[in-house]
Amino acid sequence: MDSLESLNPAVLYGGVLVLSLLVGSFLNVVILRLPNRMMHDWKCQCRELLGLDEGNATEQPPGVATGRSHCPKCNVKIAWYDNIPVISWLMLRGQCRNCGTSISIRYPAVELLTAILSLVVVVQLGPTPAGMAGLLLTWTLIAGAGIDLDHKLLPDQLTLPLVWIGLLLNLSMGLFTDLESAVIGAVAGYLVLWLVFHLFRLATGKEGMGYGDFKLLSAIGAWFGWQVLPSVILLASLVGAGIGIGLIVAKRLGREVPIAFGPFLAAAGWLVLVSDGAIVDLFFFY
C-alpha cells in the first residue's frame, strides 16, 4: 500500500481510470447476466421440486464470468477490439459491426459512471485500505443498482457478501467504524426496513419494497455503523419520492408502477463513503 501512496498522482489516477473502465465493462455483464442465471436456477429448482422432466428445460444462459459477449440479434461474438470500454461504442457509433443493431448507450454510461465514482473514491480516501475497500463497495453498489432498476431485484449474491465484508473490515481494522457500531448497524439496518415493510403491508395490503432493500441497508450499517442509518434512509426516501413524483407529473410513470428503492439506498450509502461524515452532519447537525 505504501508503494501506491508513493505513486505520482497522474499515474495513480490514470491507473484507476483504466481499471475502473474495465470493471465497468464487467459490471455491464453482471447486470445483464446475473438475473438470467438466477431465473434459470430458480426454474431448475422448481422442476426438481415438482419432479418434472428436465428435457424441456430452458437452455442454460452463459455464466457471469464465462462466455464471450455477442450481439443479441445476429448472435455474432463481439471481437476484443469492439469491446473496449467507451471507445469501441464511439468508434462503432453505437451499432453492431455485423448487423447494424443499435447498442444501448447504457453500456458506455455504466463504464463512465464506474470510472467517475471510482476516481472520486480514490481522490477522497487515497490509495489506502479504506480507498481499496471503497472501490469494492462502489462497484458492488453499481451492479446492484443496475439490476434493481431492471428487475426490481437486489440479489443476495451481492448484498449478503457486503454485509460480511463490512463486518470483517471493521472487526480487523476498524476501517470505517468500531465493531459494536457495525454489528448494531447491520441488525438495525435490516430490522428498520423490515418493520416499515410489514407496517405498510398491514395498512395498505401492498408490499412497498423488497427484502433485498433490507439487506442492502444492513450492509450499509455494517460498513459505516448505525449512526448513518437515519441519514441514509431520509436521503434515499426524499430523493426517491422526488423523482417518483416528478415522473408521475411528467406522465412518464403511472401511480401504480413501483419504483426501485435500491438505487437510492445505494447512492446514499456511496455518499456516506465519500463525504467523511458530512451527510450525517447535514441532516442532524452534530
Side-chain angles (χ1 to χ4, degrees), residues 36 69 92 95 195 239 241:
N36 292 336
S69 300
L92 293 170
Q95 295 180 329
L195 182 61
V239 175

Side-chain angles (χ1 to χ4, degrees), residues 137 160-161 219:
L137 177 62
L160 294 184

Side-chain angles (χ1 to χ4, degrees), residues 1-9 11-12 16 122 126-129 132:
M1 201 63 66
D2 292 338
S3 61
L4 289 177
E5 293 179 353
S6 64
L7 283 176
N8 182 286
V11 174
L12 173 64
V16 171
V122 174
T128 62
M132 300 302 102

Side-chain angles (χ1 to χ4, degrees), residues 71 74-76 95-101:
C71 174
C74 66
N75 211 38
V76 170
Q95 295 180 329
C96 172
R97 183 185 294 275
N98 184 64
C99 67
T101 298

